[in-house]
Amino acid sequence: MKENKELKEALELLEKEKDISKETLLEAIENSLIQACKTHFGKADNVKAIVDRETCNFSVYAEREVVEEVEDPVLQISLEDAREIDPHLGIGDIARVEIKSKEFGRIATQNAKNVILQKIREEERKVLFNQYYEKEKEVVTGVVQRYLGRNVSINLGKVDAMLNENEQVKGETFMPTERIKVYILEVKDTTKGPRILVSRTHPELVKRLFEAEVAEVKDGIVEIRSIAREAGSRTKMAVYSNDPNVDPVGACVGLNGARVNAVVEELRGEKIDIINWSDNSALLIENALSPAKVICVVANDDEKTAQVIVPDYQLSLAIGKEGQNARLAARLTGFKIDIKSETQARESGLLEEIGYEEGMEGEYDNYEDYVYDGAYEEGGEYPAEEEYAEDGYGGDGYDEGEYNGDEYDSGAQEQS
């Protein structure tokens, strides 16, 4: 039998352009033919439509019962007429009567066309949803379309995503056709196609950007154990190396800061601190408070609280501008951190209580490693201490208090 070249080529083109399987399209054609029969004859319970998978030729037939006297011409056929189709048919047998699709009226044909188009739209929507659902929790590049109120429409290629106001970095503005990277928060399936919500403020955006820039992170040699971020201002990131020969901080910073600078540029100048992760809570807290020098840390793993003592001249630097450095350190470590200067700790008797003496730097005492006394060591943290000073981290004023990661509980006394 001669193949239907036009239909076959059309199906292959649709499969290639819209990523809809040929089998799905063939099933849609079969259903459309049955629908056309239903419109033409009023019912189609006994109608079968078959499209040859190789040649794309199609045939439509009705299964009618052979009877002596026909009462329903749609479901029954006389013995005489049945014998013309197949001489071996008898009463009670089922005859296959071919239906000429060319005889369908305009309305029946239009309905068949609508069935096919509807199926194509459904499959196209399903393909788009699956394609972007697989990218959920990933970073993609989009093109800014336009502002919709305070929200921004971002084109991701085949579909538009929405960057809501609360997912935008404060102070960031975009121009139409500008290319930006966004983190896909959620992909929902709707009747109008996939609805995609994206973010520029999510901490995972920073993590995914480092995975793209740092081969060691992508390969799993270097792990990003924790991230604390105040979008548009500063991010702290704790990294750990599974290979003793690989420096995790150095790998993320890159030669002359090339890798971290690429991420900073994408985040439009947001400062990024990279510190070494430690399973020892006290050491981790000390690292998290960098670039401030720390005299000692008393950490309680059960209550998730920590007392930190810093030199008097480092207190402002440890707390940071508006408490940001300590607040990010608290979020990064998961500890509620109370920072005191050396003078305050002596006056309150805290130094004597923990058994600290001068000259104990770098040693662990008898508090089951909860207490770590050690001097701050410069070890590749980015940006350097001077950059904190430029940002006001060594400023004149600070508020004394505790930091629990979500809020700063200011004390009654403000020092200057």
Side-chain angles (χ1 to χ4, degrees), residues 48-49 64 77 109 175 182 195 229-230 251 275 308 392 394:
K48 304 290 182 184
R64 297 179 184 176
I77 188 173
T109 305
M175 298 296 293
V182 291
R195 182 170 177 265
R229 185 184 183 202
E230 291 190 359
I275 68 158
V308 179

Side-chain angles (χ1 to χ4, degrees), residues 84-367:
E84 291 180 3
I85 299 172
D86 186 348
H88 300 95
L89 291 174
I91 301 296
D93 291 337
I94 300 297
R96 289 187 172 186
V97 182
E98 185 180 1
I99 298 174
K100 301 291 185 181
S101 58
K102 292 182 179 179
E103 298 175 359
F104 292 160
R106 181 181 61 83
I107 295 176
T109 305
Q110 186 65 35
N111 287 345
K113 176 184 175 183
N114 291 339
V115 169
I116 295 175
L117 291 176
Q118 179 66 23
K119 184 64 175 178
I120 289 174
R121 282 193 291 266
E122 287 178 4
E123 287 301 314
E124 191 174 10
R125 191 173 67 241
K126 188 184 297 182
V127 167
L128 278 176
F129 172 76
N130 291 335
Q131 181 179 342
Y132 285 96
Y133 184 75
E134 291 174 358
K135 295 181 180 179
E136 199 174 65
K137 313 303 180 188
E138 296 292 337
V139 170
V140 296
T141 301
V143 178
V144 177
Q145 296 285 88
R146 60 192 177 279
Y147 274 87
L148 302 173
R150 295 187 177 181
N151 301 332
V152 185
S153 175
I154 311 289
N155 182 264
L156 302 182
K158 295 181 180 179
V159 68
D160 287 347
M162 188 60 65
L163 179 62
N164 293 330
E165 182 185 9
N166 59 349
E167 296 298 338
Q168 297 174 32
V169 176
K170 189 176 180 180
E172 267 192 355
T173 55
F174 306 105
M175 298 296 293
T177 72
E178 184 178 357
R179 297 177 69 84
I180 60 171
K181 284 184 167 58
V182 291
Y183 177 76
I184 297 181
L185 284 175
E186 186 179 31
V187 181
K188 292 181 179 179
D189 192 14
T190 69
T191 54
K192 295 182 180 179
R195 182 170 177 265
I196 303 175
L197 299 177
V198 295
S199 173
R200 287 277 294 174
T201 62
H202 203 284
E204 284 289 312
L205 173 63
V206 180
K207 183 177 181 180
R208 299 301 181 193
L209 289 174
F210 270 100
E211 287 178 356
E213 287 292 334
V214 184
E216 290 86 350
V217 175
K218 187 176 182 180
D219 295 340
I221 298 172
V222 173
E223 294 180 26
I224 299 175
R225 291 286 182 90
S226 181
I227 291 182
R229 185 184 183 202
E230 291 190 359
S233 179
R234 189 173 295 276
T235 292
K236 279 185 181 286
M237 186 171 76
V239 293
Y240 176 81
S241 176
N242 293 308
D243 186 342
N245 297 319
V246 176
D247 172 24
V249 174
C252 292
V253 171
L255 183 64
N256 296 325
R259 290 174 169 179
V260 72
N261 282 333
V263 177
V264 169
E265 185 178 351
E266 178 59 43
L267 298 176
R268 304 193 175 192
E270 182 176 316
K271 299 293 191 298
I272 299 177
D273 305 344
I274 305 172
I275 68 158
N276 282 302
W277 171 271
S278 174
D279 292 326
N280 180 279
S281 304
L283 182 55
L284 176 62
I285 292 168
E286 182 192 11
N287 292 342
L289 286 170
S290 66
K293 297 179 176 65
V294 173
I295 293 177
C296 67
V297 178
V298 182
N300 187 320
D301 284 344
D302 295 329
E303 297 180 3
K304 289 292 181 181
T305 59
Q307 290 182 312
V308 179
I309 302 173
V310 298
D312 292 358
Y313 70 96
Q314 290 283 300
L315 183 58
S316 178
L317 186 63
I319 293 174
K321 185 179 181 181
E322 297 178 352
Q324 187 185 61
N325 192 51
R327 185 167 59 248
L328 286 174
R331 290 179 187 170
L332 188 75
T333 60
F335 278 72
K336 186 175 182 179
I337 302 174
D338 180 14
I339 303 175
K340 293 185 182 298
S341 68
E342 186 176 3
T343 300
Q344 292 168 345
R346 289 191 186 281
E347 291 175 352
S348 64
L350 180 60
L351 285 178
E352 290 75 11
E353 182 182 331
I354 65 175
Y356 173 79
E357 296 177 6
E358 291 186 11
M360 289 178 61
E361 284 79 2
E363 297 180 2
Y364 292 89
D365 64 11
N366 58 356
Y367 280 78

